Every structure is written in C-alpha cells, then in structure tokens.
Amino acid sequence: MQNVANVDEKVQEAALNAYSSLVEVAPDACNPLLVGLFQVLNGVVDTYKDGATIAMLDCIGTIAQSVGNGLASEEIMQTLLPLLNKKWEQIGDDNRSLLTLFECFEQVVFALKDAILPYAKNIFGRCLKVLMNVLAVAKRDKSQLPEVFDFYQRSMDLIGQIFQALNVHSEQLVTQSELIDILLEFLHFGDLTIDQYVFSMVGDLQKTAPNCMLDKLPRFINIAISHLYYSD
C-alpha cells in the first residue's frame, strides 16, 4: 500500500494497478484496508502526474465495482470523497482526464446508491456544464462534434447513473436545472448517436421524474417521429 506514495510515477502506477487486481479477487479482504489506502492517497494525490492520476481513478472505480455498498460507510466516505474532490477541482472541463474521473464517479455513484444524495447536486451540475460546453462547440461548428463526443457521452452516462441511484429523489435536480432544454437542443443536430442518448435519458426521466416531462414530452415525441420520417 505504501508504494502508492513512492516518488517514482511508475511505482505508483504499478502499486495502484496491483491493488485493482487484488480487490477484484478479494474484495472482502480489501474492504478493511480502504480507509488506510484513501488516507495515504489523500496525502500524495497532489503530487501525482497524469499517468498515476488515471491509474488511481481506475483503481477507485474497480474498488467501487468490487466492494459495492461497502463504500457507503461513513468512515470510508470521509476519506474517499475528499480525495475525489481534489481531482474534481483540479481537472478542467476540457481536459480529457475528466473522462476518466467521470467514469470513476459512475462506479462510485452506482456503489453508494442514494448515499450519494448530499453530493449529487454538485456532480450533476458539473455534468450539465460539460454538456453546455459540448453544445456550444457543436453550434459553432457541427463538424467538431465527434471531437467532443466523449465528453457528451461520459456526462450523459454519469447523469443516467445519478438518476438510477437516486430514483424519485432525482426530480428536484431536474426541476432546478435546464437539463430538458439542453436535451432538446441536442436533437437539432440530427446525429443518430446523440439522439439515442437523448431518448434513452427521456425514458429515464419518465421513470424517475415524470412530472418534469409533462409539458415537454410532446416535443420529444414529435421530434422522434420526424426523425423516423427523415430516416426513411
């Protein structure tokens, strides 16, 4: 465990990758060690370069997958969430390391389920900000959309995971945001993959926040019908 604090980046990465492998095969044995691991990482994460940062986020994602709701203990959350928050604040919205961070958060949100509620607004807000950035790029030049698609995809996936974790408690997030209007704007580009993500999220919203969709659902239906005719 102490090797994650080694000054050599290659040693850091190797230690984190080894821990990822270990937790996959022995999650119950690793669970009592998590607080200690996260405490060590909190002390050194500011010194991590890109390679070690990505290895750390991959490791945390693997831990979340393997340990599941074992992450939801207060002691673990008090060491894990400050660790993730450091990277949350350091990584810019156009930095591709954000994709790895969002993927890590997907696993953490899935593991914590509704225990993520106190932190959901901040995560959700960041996702919306990234989506708005992607929208701005696409409006300036639609041909640039493939270059920023990964940011769109990861943001939509993380929002979907939040909705799944919070279920009906996600309705307040939606009502206090511009998510539905953003989704409608993305449909104007006529991109099939973009559309699939939008309509998948509309389905999620119908399950978790149906009241938010009452006025806007006919617009989504009309656009879906027009796209069917267009594809013919």
Side-chain angles (χ1 to χ4, degrees):
M1 186 185 297
Q2 294 305 316
N3 280 335
V4 301
N6 194 286
V7 294
D8 189 316
E9 185 180 17
K10 296 296 184 184
V11 176
Q12 296 165 355
E13 290 182 38
L16 289 161
N17 291 334
Y19 201 90
S20 295
S21 299
L22 178 63
V23 76
E24 283 183 312
V25 297
D28 292 340
C30 290
N31 200 340
L33 306 176
L34 292 180
V35 171
L37 173 65
F38 295 149
Q39 286 175 338
V40 173
L41 287 172
N42 267 297
V44 299
V45 67
D46 289 333
T47 69
Y48 273 15
K49 296 179 181 178
D50 288 346
T53 295
I54 290 172
M56 181 192 74
L57 295 174
D58 285 342
C59 180
I60 293 172
T62 301
I63 289 170
Q65 277 186 310
S66 302
V67 174
N69 62 9
L71 279 189
S73 80
E74 185 174 350
E75 187 179 17
I76 291 177
M77 288 179 64
Q78 285 177 347
T79 54
L80 171 60
L81 293 174
L83 172 61
L84 290 175
N85 189 59
K86 288 182 180 181
K87 287 303 168 187
W88 186 263
E89 294 177 351
Q90 291 171 359
I91 297 174
D93 293 334
D94 58 352
N95 187 325
R96 295 195 71 81
S97 293
L98 185 68
L99 303 175
T100 309
L101 179 61
F102 273 20
E103 186 175 9
C104 174
F105 262 101
E106 281 181 55
Q107 304 300 336
V108 170
V109 170
F110 178 79
L112 293 179
K113 295 184 171 54
D114 57 1
I116 200 66
L117 182 60
Y119 314 95
K121 184 176 181 179
N122 188 32
I123 301 170
F124 179 74
R126 182 75 178 272
C127 291
L128 287 188
K129 184 180 177 186
V130 173
L131 286 178
M132 291 175 72
N133 290 345
V134 172
L135 195 58
V137 170
K139 283 182 175 180
R140 287 196 302 268
D141 184 356
K142 184 183 172 181
S143 68
Q144 297 297 310
L145 192 53
E147 295 186 18
V148 293
F149 176 77
D150 287 346
F151 289 92
Y152 169 84
Q153 182 183 39
R154 281 289 165 221
S155 298
M156 293 287 277
D157 284 344
L158 182 49
I159 290 173
Q161 193 62 69
I162 292 170
F163 289 167
Q164 184 177 336
L166 298 185
N167 205 340
V168 295
H169 296 297
S170 60
E171 186 167 49
Q172 187 175 2
L173 292 176
V174 180
T175 56
Q176 296 176 353
S177 76
E178 299 178 356
L179 173 64
I180 296 176
D181 290 332
I182 291 171
L183 295 178
L184 283 166
E185 288 204 60
F186 270 113
L187 290 175
H188 293 156
F189 297 110
D191 184 283
L192 180 59
T193 308
I194 294 284
D195 292 356
Q196 287 175 335
Y197 272 90
V198 170
F199 288 119
S200 176
M201 186 161 290
V202 169
D204 290 341
L205 287 168
Q206 278 294 100
K207 295 175 186 175
T208 59
N211 292 331
C212 299
M213 295 297 298
L214 289 176
D215 295 334
K216 301 291 177 69
L217 186 59
R219 292 182 63 186
F220 283 104
I221 293 173
N222 289 335
I223 292 172
I225 292 172
S226 70
H227 285 194
L228 287 174
Y229 282 118
Y230 178 78
S231 65
D232 289 341

